[in-house]
Amino acid sequence: MKIQKQIYYFVLISFSILIANFTWPLINLSTNNKDIIGIYSQNNYSSFNDILRYLCFILIPVIIYFFTKLFFEKQTFNSFLSNFKIKRINYNQDITINIFLLILVIFLIFEFLSLNFPSSKIDIFHDGQRLSSAFKSKIDGSLWSGSYVSVGIIYETLGTKFAWKLFQSESIGSMKVLDMLYILITKILIVFLAFEITKYIKLSNLYKILYFLLTSFFLLTTLDYNLNSVDVISFREIPIILSLILFIKTYDSESILNYFLIAFLSVLTFFWSIDRALVLILFILFIIFLQIYNNKYKQFFVLFLSILSVWILFFLFFTYEFNFFLSNTLSIINEHSYVNGIIHPLPFTDEKNSARATKNLLAIIFAIIISLSLFFKNNDKYPHKIKIIFFSISIFCFLSYIYALGRSDGPHIKQAFGFPALFFIFYFVFNFIFFISNSNYNSFKDKKILILILPTLIFSIYFMNIDFKNINTFKVRFNKYILLDDSKFLSDDDNLFIKTVSKVVEKEKCIQLFTNDAALLYLLKKPSCTKYYFVYSIGSISNQKTMINEMKNTNLVISNGITDNWDVPINAKYPLVHEYIDRTYQDYKKIGQRLLKIKKN
């Protein structure tokens, strides 16, 4: 009977996914944003299409499953909601697992100290986004007033600027070391996340240790120190992972400190990465629901007042920059999809990136369905808090796909798989451990489980590629790396361009890019004449007019970069700026593909 019911649900979910897929092309709204030229406008495509298509594709199977489950399990909606009643949980945990946590963290640090610093060429587009903004801020102290920020002020400006100050070296090498530190922090955080979840599984301590080690091992395989690759779990998820850890710690705790920290993160994340901030704000709504549903009004007011207080402190501390921050952030939220959007591929087709997107969408559906199904289980296999944790991670699975809806290319779709990967690692490893803990096989009983624990620990450490010789020479290698001349990170063509143009712009106070090769400003040691240093994200007619107005005292413009035709050609994308430059400047010198233009007399 149980198998028949499972078959029924599988058929039901499969059929509902087919229905959801059928609705995808039926949602086809026309754009009302005609002044931003991009792939969306060229196809008369509204940015709401991808959002509505995504919501329908995910929610149709989930809602059908949910209400069918309610009917078969003979539960009411109120009985389902009762699962969100906070229950005080006392967990027993041997100190041994803390020792394993310490061992993993120590070896993660050893792994970092063992690394050979990357000598690969910079990405003149993405790396330049962070180098040139930081350089301008270092010169004039400006933040949003000096640079139009498309990701977040910490990611684009303050992080690199802080690294230069901390390492006392204004170099590309310092920025790359910062990225490696971000990855180390991410690795440590996901190990701590595994540790927090392990506390609440109902297994003996030896099985808990095995669960912790296995989940940590699989999680650590989702990211590495290759700065030229796209990781499944990106270091940009640092505030999201940290907020999840804090939520787990606060769920059944009366402490208000963690609520303040969550509030602080909700504000700080707007400076780190705007899209991550939106995800975190939506998750906080779930936390508020839990607080109100459980009559925890004290915690609710602490969270609300903490968020309000942090915003007020930010306003007082950044009085001059605050209005620039607001206008910049709202502009990015309203315009980003139209500026850089790529239409999401239709699932189950041979369109580019469709297979990867389909995998992600199905993973999100099944993560939500699995997390919901746990609430209908009355056995002791899944403790109450484990159910809430899995449900919380499934919320992040659902929300984090926002990363792929505004820019549906391969790398962004891959990054959107981070939380589904987290969910299934925690879920399937838990079921594996639970299975062997209840197995009749003697080798999996009591202390004999050590035959799995020790190899898992050794295997995890082995894959960290720890080199004690490198650890001993880390300080020497680090100092040498951050002092490397920037030319070591450039191609021959870029080195020739910088060497040639540096002499021409030597007496200029600033230069203006009309190319996506954003790193040129930093490499030429000249700030942008306008806040639009990252030309790729200029966007609207209003922003183009602002840029033209700020170019009044600009003598030199660099155009025809190597990254200008990645999607819509830059001249077609920003016609007002193109027409102004064509009218006001004349060709001065061509170096390789790039063109230096000088203001007409």
Side-chain angles (χ1 to χ4, degrees):
M1 183 66 182
K2 185 176 180 180
I3 295 177
Q4 289 179 340
K5 186 182 288 188
Q6 290 175 342
I7 293 174
Y8 170 79
Y9 280 122
F10 177 78
V11 172
L12 177 71
I13 293 168
S14 299
F15 183 70
S16 63
I17 290 173
L18 290 176
I19 295 174
N21 192 56
F22 177 75
T23 67
W24 190 284
L26 299 180
I27 301 171
N28 192 18
L29 303 176
S30 299
T31 180
N32 58 359
N33 196 331
K34 301 292 186 181
D35 69 340
I36 299 178
I37 298 175
I39 293 176
Y40 280 9
S41 65
Q42 289 183 338
N43 290 274
N44 194 26
Y45 189 85
S46 172
S47 63
F48 291 109
N49 285 330
D50 283 345
I51 297 172
L52 293 174
R53 288 173 171 182
Y54 171 67
L55 290 176
C56 287
F57 193 90
I58 300 299
L59 294 181
I60 288 175
V62 169
I63 291 173
I64 290 176
Y65 169 81
F66 176 72
F67 283 102
T68 305
K69 192 76 174 175
L70 276 182
F71 174 78
F72 274 102
E73 303 296 334
K74 301 187 185 304
Q75 293 192 35
T76 65
F77 188 70
N78 286 335
S79 66
F80 170 78
L81 283 179
S82 66
N83 288 284
F84 295 102
K85 279 290 183 184
I86 293 176
K87 301 174 184 178
R88 182 74 59 183
I89 298 174
N90 295 318
Y91 60 89
N92 295 317
Q93 184 164 292
D94 188 80
I95 194 172
T96 309
I97 194 171
N98 298 69
I99 296 173
F100 279 94
L101 171 65
L102 181 61
I103 291 171
L104 278 185
V105 171
I106 289 172
F107 277 96
L108 283 173
I109 295 172
F110 284 168
E111 178 192 34
F112 175 79
L113 298 176
S114 300
L115 292 172
N116 293 311
F117 294 107
S119 57
S120 56
K121 307 305 179 185
I122 66 165
D123 179 340
I124 204 159
F125 176 86
H126 292 99
D127 290 336
Q129 182 182 12
R130 299 162 62 203
L131 288 166
S132 292
S133 178
F135 178 75
K136 184 171 185 179
S137 181
K138 181 176 178 291
I139 291 175
D140 60 15
S142 66
L143 297 173
W144 298 273
S145 61
S147 297
Y148 184 67
V149 177
S150 57
V151 176
I153 198 69
I154 296 176
Y155 176 80
E156 284 184 46
T157 307
L158 295 180
T160 303
K161 185 179 175 182
F162 173 76
W164 289 344
K165 187 173 183 179
L166 178 66
F167 304 143
Q168 297 184 334
S169 175
E170 184 185 305
S171 65
I172 293 173
S174 292
M175 184 195 72
K176 287 183 175 287
V177 171
L178 175 67
D179 286 348
M180 296 165 75
L181 281 171
Y182 284 151
I183 294 170
L184 172 63
I185 293 169
T186 309
K187 288 190 170 201
I188 292 174
L189 283 177
I190 59 177
V191 168
F192 268 94
L193 178 61
F195 175 76
E196 287 297 324
I197 293 176
T198 302
K199 290 180 182 179
Y200 297 98
I201 63 174
K202 294 185 71 172
L203 293 170
S204 67
N205 285 317
L206 287 176
Y207 287 109
K208 282 188 174 185
I209 291 170
L210 180 59
Y211 179 78
F212 169 65
L213 291 176
L214 281 175
T215 52
S216 295
F217 170 74
F218 287 119
L219 289 172
L220 290 172
T221 63
T222 61
L223 71 165
D224 56 40
Y225 287 99
N226 182 357
L227 301 183
N228 293 322
S229 66
V230 177
D231 293 321
V232 173
I233 299 179
S234 166
F235 67 71
R236 285 174 63 182
E237 305 293 352
I238 287 175
I240 304 296
I241 297 172
L242 185 53
S243 68
L244 184 55
I245 293 171
L246 290 171
F247 168 72
I248 293 172
K249 295 176 76 68
T250 60
Y251 179 69
D252 59 357
S253 170
E254 297 297 329
S255 172
I256 63 174
L257 175 61
N258 288 325
Y259 287 113
F260 172 77
L261 293 176
I262 291 173
F264 179 76
L265 269 178
S266 72
V267 177
L268 185 67
T269 308
F270 271 100
F271 312 145
W272 172 260
S273 182
I274 296 171
D275 53 0
R276 269 65 179 180
L278 295 176
V279 168
L280 185 50
I281 288 296
L282 291 173
F283 183 72
I284 286 176
L285 293 179
F286 170 66
I287 297 177
I288 291 173
F289 157 74
L290 287 176
Q291 291 172 332
I292 295 175
Y293 184 72
N294 287 277
N295 300 319
K296 288 187 171 289
Y297 298 111
K298 175 184 175 183
Q299 286 81 353
F300 165 71
F301 283 114
V302 167
L303 181 61
F304 175 77
L305 292 175
S306 295
I307 293 174
L308 183 62
S309 299
V310 175
W311 277 115
I312 292 173
L313 287 173
F314 165 62
F315 170 74
L316 295 175
F317 192 76
F318 293 104
T319 304
Y320 174 72
E321 293 281 351
F322 188 77
N323 287 334
F324 292 103
F325 159 74
L326 284 181
S327 61
N328 191 143
T329 303
L330 291 174
S331 176
I332 291 298
I333 293 173
N334 291 328
E335 299 180 4
H336 179 73
S337 293
Y338 286 103
V339 176
N340 302 317
I342 296 176
I343 298 173
H344 192 286
L346 179 65
F348 301 106
T349 65
D350 59 356
E351 292 182 16
K352 186 177 180 181
N353 295 313
S354 175
R356 176 173 284 176
T358 303
K359 177 192 71 174
N360 278 23
L361 294 171
L362 292 178
I364 293 168
I365 290 172
F366 284 106
I368 297 173
I369 286 176
I370 289 171
S371 68
L372 288 174
S373 72
L374 299 183
F375 289 123
F376 295 98
K377 298 181 184 293
N378 296 319
N379 56 43
D380 293 331
K381 179 180 178 181
Y382 299 96
H384 175 257
K385 188 160 184 178
I386 286 294
K387 294 178 182 180
I388 295 296
I389 290 171
F390 279 128
F391 185 76
S392 302
I393 298 175
S394 74
I395 291 176
F396 280 120
C397 292
F398 176 70
L399 295 177
S400 63
Y401 203 70
I402 189 177
Y403 312 153
L405 292 179
R407 180 78 181 167
S408 301
D409 57 6
H412 286 86
I413 293 174
K414 183 178 180 180
Q415 283 190 352
F417 190 66
F419 282 98
L422 271 173
F423 181 92
F424 288 110
I425 288 171
F426 285 127
Y427 178 77
F428 285 120
V429 173
F430 172 81
N431 281 278
F432 169 71
I433 300 295
F434 190 85
F435 171 77
I436 65 172
S437 69
N438 289 276
S439 170
N440 293 323
Y441 189 51
N442 288 333
S443 294
F444 292 149
K445 293 299 181 183
D446 302 322
K447 294 185 179 180
K448 292 181 179 180
I449 196 65
L450 287 170
I451 67 171
L452 293 178
I453 292 177
L454 294 179
T456 302
L457 178 62
I458 294 169
F459 202 60
S460 300
I461 294 172
Y462 172 78
F463 268 84
M464 292 181 188
N465 295 317
I466 293 169
D467 186 335
F468 288 99
K469 290 183 179 179
N470 273 6
I471 293 175
N472 290 331
T473 61
F474 176 81
K475 185 176 181 180
V476 174
R477 293 184 300 109
F478 168 78
N479 289 330
K480 182 178 179 181
Y481 186 73
I482 62 173
L483 293 174
L484 275 178
D485 192 272
D486 289 338
S487 62
K488 302 294 183 181
F489 297 96
L490 303 180
S491 66
D492 292 339
D493 288 343
D494 288 338
N495 272 317
L496 176 62
F497 179 84
I498 297 303
K499 184 177 180 180
T500 304
V501 176
S502 292
K503 300 174 183 177
V504 179
V505 302
E506 187 175 7
K507 295 182 180 180
E508 298 295 328
K509 292 183 178 180
C510 64
I511 55 177
Q512 180 59 46
L513 298 183
F514 193 54
T515 169
N516 295 325
D517 299 350
L520 295 180
L521 293 166
Y522 163 78
L523 296 169
L524 291 168
K525 302 303 178 186
K526 296 293 177 182
S528 173
C529 294
T530 75
K531 64 182 177 182
Y532 301 100
Y533 80 99
F534 193 54
V535 177
Y536 189 74
S537 295
I538 294 173
S540 64
I541 294 295
S542 174
N543 283 348
Q544 291 183 60
K545 289 180 178 179
T546 302
M547 178 176 173
I548 291 169
N549 187 58
E550 292 179 5
M551 287 180 65
K552 299 298 184 184
N553 298 317
T554 302
N555 294 321
L556 293 171
V557 174
I558 299 174
S559 63
N560 289 32
I562 61 175
T563 59
D564 292 356
N565 296 308
W566 279 6
D567 47 26
V568 179
I570 197 168
N571 290 342
K573 196 173 183 179
Y574 307 122
L576 290 186
V577 180
H578 171 62
E579 189 276 333
Y580 173 78
I581 291 174
D582 195 51
R583 183 180 70 248
T584 311
Y585 297 84
Q586 62 187 7
D587 294 353
Y588 176 72
K589 195 167 189 176
K590 188 172 185 180
I591 306 99
Q593 178 179 319
R594 297 186 182 102
L595 180 63
L596 186 63
K597 302 174 79 73
I598 192 169
K599 198 169 189 177
K600 296 177 182 177
N601 294 327

